[in-house]
């Protein structure tokens, strides 16, 4: 009879995969629970509404108008279809699909890392990346920029492996990474700037041959271009009607350069880059960390290019920088305590502040007490539209209370952008035709779609209404039922009641926090 003994070290090594799988499973479950139980992101709620209307027969960019190219609408269609197929809440379907996307991104990234020397040391880095993908976005979880980072991360890993002269992963894996990145860049093409720095590093380390022999990069570009062309060809109303309007008023309405470089997004990014530069000195080649940070520079350029200054626009840059810091620490063969502690402190402090910054979202139900009860008392599923400049007045509020959105526009964003450009609303000014367009569309929605509730905001109401005379006429059939916080509720007149639009003090218009 022989006795077989198992060394303790082998037992510990055998338990590590189970421990890692359990940790990842708990992190994924916590992510789903957290985001499923918190208020939905404003932009996601609106894009889900657009998708539902389109599936119900509405013509996109005509019956319901979105300010982004069709890729933004199509991106959330799978969540709407999944919700309808299985009876889910669409917002929960977004959380589930986004979490699965994060898991797939991390798994594919790990597979592409297998050609790197000392592959085992990439496991801590993947855990850092998991936290960055699942927890850092906070209120921006599932936003387009969040998804773009997840779809481009495997391609960046493939480029980093090539820059490290590692044996490339199998071609099918690299092509999957390329297609995923191409799909993301087709939604917002300017984030493809994130590839410029890593490809330049690859050219410097491997020469032109190494760059040309990288089919995954060129495949991503081809996929993005093809999908972009399909979007413009398949949605003529966007190309011929909405795009010229965006070119006139939406794109030129930018934040000042001083704001873009001094807001928390820029400060956090600069702090991360400074920490990386300081910790990287005299440490030799760092292909993984350098790839992440160079990508972050391109993503930050995309944030500046958009010029809106919204927090989630900077998420890919800040997230990539944190991944770079994680790679710098995890990639050290014999990490000394001081750099290790410094990098960990930088990741935690920047990550915490960034998470708070990304979590900004407006919950109308808590900010406007009594509004929900007043609106839901009008009908079981009240028809609602908003005349406010702030998109958050209508979204996700309408979805949360079980209402039906009947507006063609998500908000009075046309007048908002014109006021940003000129400082005033003048129907006879250079943008008078655009104001008249908004006037006609909103008045038509009120008259023909007959909303039970029309929402507006008190700041600047009188001046806004003076610039929209046709809307004022359409509201003759409505009366001010109450003001809840800064939100006004207009409801249809009873047959015997009169109609008078009260005049309110002229105040500056409130800016929309997103889009």
């Amino acid at each position: 009879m022989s006795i077989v003994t198992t060394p303790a070290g082998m037992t510990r090594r055998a338990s590590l995969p189970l421990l890692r799988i359990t940790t990842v499973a708990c992190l994924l479950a916590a992510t789903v629970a957290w985001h499923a139980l918190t208020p939905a992101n404003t932009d996601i709620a609106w894009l889900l509404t657009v998708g539902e209307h389109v599936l119900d027969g509405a013509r996109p960019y005509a019956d319901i108008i979105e300010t982004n190219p069709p890729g933004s609408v199509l991106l959330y269609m799978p969540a709407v279809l999944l919700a309808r197929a299985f009876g889910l809440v669409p917002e929960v379907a977004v959380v589930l699909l986004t979490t699965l996307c994060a898991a797939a991104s991390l798994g594919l990234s790990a597979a592409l890392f297998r050609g790197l020397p000392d592959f085992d040391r990439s496991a801590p880095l993947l855990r850092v990346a998991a936290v960055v993908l699942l927890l850092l976005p906070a209120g921006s979880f599932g936003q387009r920029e969040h998804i773009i980072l997840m779809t481009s991360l495997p391609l960046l890993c493939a480029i980093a492996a090539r820059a490290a002269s590692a044996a490339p992963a199998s071609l099918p894996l690299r092509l999957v990474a390329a297609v995923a990145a191409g799909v993301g860049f087709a939604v917002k093409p300017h984030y493809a700037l994130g590839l410029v720095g890593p490809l330049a590093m690859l050219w410097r380390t491997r020469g032109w041959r190494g760059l040309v022999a990288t089919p995954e990069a060129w495949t991503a570009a081809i996929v993005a271009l093809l999908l972009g062309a399909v979007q413009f060809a398949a949605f003529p109303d966007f190309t011929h009607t909405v795009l010229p309007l965006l070119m006139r008023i939406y794109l030129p309405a930018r934040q000042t350069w001083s704001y873009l470089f001094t807001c928390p997004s820029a400060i956090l990014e600069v702090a991360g880059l400074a920490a990386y530069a300081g910790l990287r000195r005299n440490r030799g080649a760092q292909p993984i960390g350098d790839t992440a940070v160079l990508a972050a520079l391109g993503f930050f350029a995309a944030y500046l290019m958009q010029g809106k200054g919204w927090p989630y626009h900077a998420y890919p840059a800040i997230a990539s920088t944190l991944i770079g810091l994680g790679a710098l620490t995890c990639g050290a063969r014999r990490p000394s305590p001081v750099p290790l502690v410094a990098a960990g402190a930088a990741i935690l402090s920047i990550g915490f502040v960034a998470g708070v910054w990304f979590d900004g979202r407006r919950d109308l139900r808590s900010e406007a007490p009594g509004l929900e009860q007043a609106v839901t008392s009008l009908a079981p599923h009240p028809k609602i539209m908003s005349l406010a400049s702030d998109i958050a007045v209508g979204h996700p509020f309408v979805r949360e209370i079980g209402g039906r959105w009947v507006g063609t526009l998500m908000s009075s964003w046309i007048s908002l952008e014109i006021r940003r450009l000129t400082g005033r609303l003048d129907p006879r000014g250079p943008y008078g035709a655009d104001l008249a367009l908004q006037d006609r569309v909103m008045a038509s929605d009120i008259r023909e779609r007959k909303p039970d509730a029309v929402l507006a905001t008190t700041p600047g109401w009188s001046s806004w209404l003076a610039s929209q005379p046709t809307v004022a006429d359409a509201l003759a059939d409505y009366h001010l039922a109450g003001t809840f916080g800064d939100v006004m509720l207009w409801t249809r007149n009873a047959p015997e009641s009169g109609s008078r639009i009260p005049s309110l003090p002229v105040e500056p218009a409130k800016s929309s926090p997103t889009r």
Side-chain angles (χ1 to χ4, degrees):
M1 178 178 179
S2 62
I3 299 176
V4 179
T5 59
T6 303
M10 289 182 64
T11 302
R12 285 195 298 270
R13 283 195 297 271
S15 65
L16 279 177
L18 179 60
L19 177 62
R20 291 172 182 171
I21 292 172
T22 303
T23 301
V24 171
C26 290
L27 182 58
L28 293 175
T31 299
V32 171
W34 174 26
H35 294 293
L37 296 174
T38 52
N41 178 279
T42 295
D43 289 346
I44 294 174
W46 163 247
L47 289 168
L48 287 173
T49 298
V50 176
E52 289 172 342
H53 279 61
V54 171
L55 288 177
D56 290 337
R59 193 172 65 179
Y61 301 101
D63 299 324
I64 189 163
I65 295 176
E66 159 62 356
T67 56
N68 286 275
S72 291
V73 178
L74 297 174
L75 188 65
Y76 296 96
M77 281 292 194
V80 177
L81 294 171
L82 180 68
R84 292 187 172 188
F86 294 96
L88 300 174
V89 175
E91 288 81 354
V92 174
V94 170
V95 172
L96 290 172
L97 291 177
T98 304
T99 305
L100 288 175
C101 182
S105 177
L106 293 168
L108 183 55
S109 298
L112 292 166
F113 269 154
R114 291 189 182 278
L116 288 170
D118 304 316
F119 165 72
D120 289 342
R121 286 189 289 111
S122 68
L125 171 59
L126 291 172
R127 286 195 285 272
V128 172
V131 172
V132 167
L133 293 185
L134 295 172
L135 302 183
L136 179 67
S140 298
F141 188 86
Q143 264 282 21
R144 288 150 292 169
E145 287 73 8
H146 180 212
I147 295 172
I148 287 170
L149 178 65
M150 291 189 291
T151 56
S152 58
L153 185 60
L155 179 58
L156 293 173
C157 291
I159 294 173
R162 283 188 176 274
S165 300
S170 66
L171 181 60
L173 284 178
R174 287 181 283 138
L175 291 181
V176 168
V179 171
V183 170
F185 295 145
V187 175
K188 284 203 167 183
H190 32 275
Y191 282 99
L193 290 172
L195 294 183
V196 173
L199 290 176
M201 180 187 69
L202 182 60
W203 167 72
R204 183 178 178 184
T205 56
R206 302 289 300 275
W208 284 108
R209 289 185 177 180
L211 192 59
V212 172
T214 308
E216 51 269 30
W218 313 120
T219 301
I222 292 170
V223 169
L225 290 172
L226 288 176
L227 291 178
V230 168
Q231 290 182 62
F232 284 93
F235 296 87
D237 287 312
F238 172 77
T239 306
H240 301 301
T241 305
V242 177
L243 184 58
L245 177 64
L246 300 178
M247 298 291 288
R248 282 195 305 273
I249 65 171
Y250 186 79
L251 297 180
R254 298 170 50 89
Q255 292 283 3
T256 63
W257 287 106
S258 60
Y259 176 84
L260 292 175
F261 279 106
T262 57
C263 71
S265 293
I267 294 171
L268 289 167
E269 178 61 15
V270 171
L273 293 174
Y276 185 85
L279 293 169
R280 188 194 182 283
R281 287 186 302 174
N282 304 320
R283 298 196 68 179
Q286 299 288 330
I288 299 175
D290 290 351
T291 299
V293 169
L294 288 171
L297 289 173
F299 291 145
F300 189 69
Y303 153 80
L304 294 174
M305 181 182 294
Q306 293 174 94
K308 300 296 184 181
W310 294 320
Y312 64 90
H313 281 180
Y315 167 79
I318 296 172
S320 296
T321 302
L322 293 179
I323 291 174
L325 283 168
L328 198 63
T329 302
C330 301
R333 291 180 178 276
R334 295 179 180 179
S336 55
V338 174
L340 191 65
V341 171
I347 292 172
L348 290 175
S349 57
I350 293 172
F352 176 78
V353 176
V356 174
W357 176 237
F358 295 142
D359 199 36
R361 49 188 161 185
R362 188 174 183 187
D363 185 1
L364 205 64
R365 290 193 296 177
S366 61
E367 292 182 20
L371 179 62
E372 178 180 357
Q373 182 178 0
V375 174
T376 54
S377 66
L378 299 173
H381 297 284
K383 296 186 292 183
I384 307 170
M385 65 175 289
S386 170
L387 304 178
S389 61
D390 186 353
I391 180 179
V393 170
H395 317 280
F397 176 72
V398 173
R399 302 180 62 83
E400 290 175 333
I401 67 172
R404 292 177 290 161
W405 180 258
V406 295
T408 299
L409 303 173
M410 61 185 173
S411 64
S412 60
W413 64 268
I414 295 177
S415 55
L416 171 66
E417 302 302 341
I418 291 173
R419 180 167 286 183
R420 282 176 172 170
L421 288 171
T422 65
R424 61 196 181 98
L425 297 176
D426 183 2
R428 294 176 297 277
Y431 298 101
D434 297 318
L435 276 175
L437 171 64
Q438 178 180 265
D439 193 18
R440 292 193 304 272
V441 169
M442 287 188 157
S444 175
D445 288 342
I446 294 172
R447 289 196 177 101
E448 296 179 10
R449 300 180 181 180
K450 303 186 186 314
D452 300 302
V454 178
L455 305 178
T457 46
T458 53
W461 170 249
S462 296
S463 62
W464 183 87
L465 201 62
S467 70
Q468 307 286 320
T470 310
V471 172
D473 290 342
L475 281 175
D477 292 334
Y478 287 75
H479 68 279
L480 181 61
T483 301
F484 307 85
D486 69 340
V487 179
M488 296 184 296
L489 170 62
W490 294 77
T491 59
R492 188 172 295 280
N493 294 329
E496 67 278 4
S497 68
S499 59
R500 187 172 72 88
I501 300 174
S503 177
L504 297 173
V506 177
E507 301 176 39
K510 186 171 183 178
S511 298
S512 173
T514 58
R515 304 304 291 169

